[in-house]
Amino acid sequence: MLSDAIKDEGVMRRVLKRGVHDIIVESEFVERLQGGRPLRLKMGFDPSATDIHMGHAVGLRKLRQLQDLGHKVVLIVGDWTAQIGDPSGRSATRPMLTAEQVRENAATYMAQFFKIVDRDRTETRWQSEWFGEFSLTDVIGLTSRFTVAQFLARDDFANRFKANQPIAITELLYPLLQAYDSVAIESDVEFGGTDQMFNLLVGRDLQGMVGQTPQQCFLMPLLPGTDGVQKMSKSLGNYIGIDEPPDEIYGKTMSLPDNQILPYSEYLTDIADDEISEMRAELAAGSVNPMELKKRLARELVAQFHDADAATNAERNFERTVQGGQMPDDIPEFALPAPDALAGMRLSRLLVDAGLASSAGEARRLISQGAVQIDGERVSEDSAAGIEVGAVLRAGRRRYVRLV
């Protein structure tokens, strides 16, 4: 049942403007939104990785907002397109995944997806429902509706073509398959980042060609990562995962450049618009310490993806360890496989095994940067020799483990 709240001017403003880059076409979207019929809101994802980060949460929060107004989310699991790989924003062909990898990634992804979007008000569809029956005739019929020139107009394809870099035929199929998803589920609105605009517009065009009402395209801003510059990405290491422990979410948020306080607050929290305007004025006037606003942001994010108690504890731990230079009260333990396991082991290997680094390369960088400590003493050699059971390892500013 649709909510009457959509008639409220403030609610409409938050739907159309808060955390939104563009809507194609906004007037048509508003007309449909107020038309008295629940809209089918399409969000597709390729399970090419297992985790959702705050960059994904921008669009997911908008879906939840519209769900709460009575509209229907249709989640498309791209079990076919994930095996092709979408090159949006990339300079090279992405590797294809196996069907098994896709299924494994999808299970983890959906568990995190439903931490934001209401599972009971979501219709989940797998592309294999329609592409599993596709024949060569269907593929040729689909490709005949568009030209190569149209696809080479897309920025990433155009740049690679000019640079004589390879573009696989399968990659040209990707936007067509995504577009057909919109036809298959009769999408009213499709959501995606600004780097997905071309694909969303192909879906809009294809629907019109087959006699459906063309979908509206809801474009979300791309959230910068913790470096404040590049798009948030796991591969760049500048991400905040929504499933990360409270201390990690809090600490990574505190590492943001000050110029990201307002975008993160606007896109990822329910802080009122007038409060954000007040924060903007205070930052411009220099009348507030940015760290205080950043702490509020960090509390908001931890509470959203964990709970209020976790946010309070994360802040207390940050103040003790990062600001106060003390060790946390509760240090996780890592059990060595044998008493002599450290003999001849590289420290980088130990950091990876203990979960303090995601790869040997990251571990070596931490060591070379002086970011690794053993019982409070910095180490510069990639060797675990001399480390004893009971020692506390610290990597970076927030990650600790006690060897047992």
Side-chain angles (χ1 to χ4, degrees):
M1 181 177 180
L2 294 179
S3 169
D4 289 335
I6 197 63
K7 300 174 183 177
D8 181 89
E9 183 177 332
V11 172
M12 181 64 82
R13 184 174 60 252
R14 286 175 70 87
V15 169
L16 299 178
K17 304 301 180 184
R18 177 106 177 222
V20 178
H21 177 80
D22 195 12
I23 303 174
I24 305 171
V25 177
E26 184 176 310
S27 59
E28 294 179 9
F29 173 71
V30 171
E31 184 178 344
R32 287 200 188 187
L33 199 63
Q34 298 177 333
R37 177 180 68 84
L39 300 181
R40 293 175 64 76
L41 313 174
K42 174 192 173 189
M43 170 69 89
F45 81 93
D46 287 344
S48 54
T50 57
D51 294 320
I52 294 177
H53 53 60
M54 297 295 174
H56 300 117
V58 177
L60 300 187
R61 283 174 50 83
K62 185 61 64 175
L63 289 177
R64 179 57 186 261
Q65 184 182 28
L66 288 165
Q67 270 188 327
D68 290 342
L69 293 172
H71 300 284
K72 184 79 169 182
V73 170
V74 184
L75 172 64
I76 306 292
V77 183
D79 52 335
W80 278 66
T81 48
Q83 296 177 67
I84 294 174
D86 181 17
S88 296
R90 296 173 181 266
S91 59
T93 301
R94 268 172 43 174
M96 295 179 70
L97 302 177
T98 66
E100 183 178 359
Q101 286 174 311
V102 168
R103 286 192 298 271
E104 290 175 355
N105 290 347
T108 304
Y109 190 105
M110 283 194 285
Q112 296 177 28
F113 182 92
F114 290 122
K115 291 185 73 170
I116 303 174
V117 179
D118 186 348
R119 184 188 297 268
D120 292 337
R121 290 179 287 178
T122 299
E123 176 184 323
T124 302
R125 305 288 296 273
W126 293 68
Q127 287 177 325
S128 50
E129 294 177 32
W130 42 89
F131 290 136
E133 302 297 325
F134 246 49
S135 66
L136 182 58
T137 300
D138 295 319
V139 173
I140 292 174
L142 188 58
T143 57
S144 68
R145 297 179 181 274
F146 297 89
T147 68
V148 172
Q150 285 176 280
F151 280 47
L152 288 180
R154 196 171 97 168
D155 286 345
D156 49 350
F157 285 147
N159 292 337
R160 284 160 60 189
F161 186 72
K162 290 175 184 175
N164 291 318
Q165 293 177 332
I167 302 173
I169 297 293
T170 52
E171 293 181 88
L172 297 177
L173 287 175
Y174 186 101
L176 291 175
L177 298 182
Q178 181 175 331
Y180 191 81
D181 294 342
S182 296
V183 172
I185 64 137
E186 299 185 34
S187 164
D188 290 310
V189 190
E190 183 171 8
F191 290 73
T194 54
D195 57 348
Q196 286 286 309
M197 182 171 70
F198 179 89
N199 293 356
L200 270 59
L201 289 173
V202 173
R204 179 178 166 85
D205 290 344
L206 184 60
Q207 283 182 304
M209 292 174 186
V210 301
Q212 292 184 7
T213 302
Q215 68 184 10
Q216 308 308 306
C217 304
F218 215 111
L219 300 173
M220 319 306 299
L222 299 181
L223 188 72
T226 52
D227 55 6
V229 178
Q230 300 193 74
K231 171 186 170 183
M232 186 174 286
S233 165
K234 284 205 73 176
S235 61
L236 295 175
N238 65 352
Y239 70 98
I240 305 174
I242 70 166
D243 219 26
E244 289 192 278
D247 286 346
E248 281 294 297
I249 293 178
Y250 192 99
K252 287 184 176 183
T253 303
M254 293 302 297
S255 73
L256 290 171
D258 292 347
N259 64 4
Q260 293 304 312
I261 294 172
L262 294 175
Y264 273 63
S265 297
E266 179 181 350
Y267 302 161
L268 295 171
T269 77
D270 293 324
I271 297 174
D273 290 342
D274 57 352
E275 289 187 73
I276 291 179
S277 296
E278 184 178 340
M279 290 161 58
R280 180 176 289 106
E282 290 174 337
L283 285 168
S287 60
V288 65
N289 185 342
M291 178 171 282
E292 294 308 309
L293 298 183
K294 215 177 291 184
K295 283 186 173 182
R296 178 182 182 183
L297 172 62
R299 289 195 304 270
E300 292 273 352
L301 294 180
V302 175
Q304 181 179 162
F305 296 107
H306 291 279
D307 55 45
D309 288 342
T312 300
N313 292 334
E315 181 164 275
R316 185 181 299 122
N317 199 37
F318 178 86
E319 292 171 346
R320 276 176 49 84
T321 60
V322 178
Q323 293 183 288
Q326 302 178 49
M327 286 191 180
D329 293 328
D330 187 16
I331 299 176
E333 296 180 341
F334 173 67
L336 296 168
D340 60 349
L342 299 177
M345 180 185 286
R346 289 188 177 276
L347 179 57
S348 55
R349 165 71 183 279
L350 177 60
L351 293 175
V352 173
D353 290 349
L356 297 179
S358 60
S359 66
E362 182 193 7
R364 288 192 293 270
R365 284 195 299 273
L366 290 170
I367 295 168
S368 67
Q369 293 166 359
V372 176
Q373 296 181 14
I374 300 171
D375 288 335
E377 297 292 329
R378 295 187 188 278
V379 294
S380 57
E381 300 294 328
D382 189 6
S383 171
I387 302 177
E388 299 179 351
V389 172
V392 174
L393 273 62
R394 177 179 180 177
R397 304 178 74 184
R398 300 180 301 276
R399 288 172 280 179
Y400 293 81
V401 74
R402 189 186 305 279
L403 301 180
V404 298

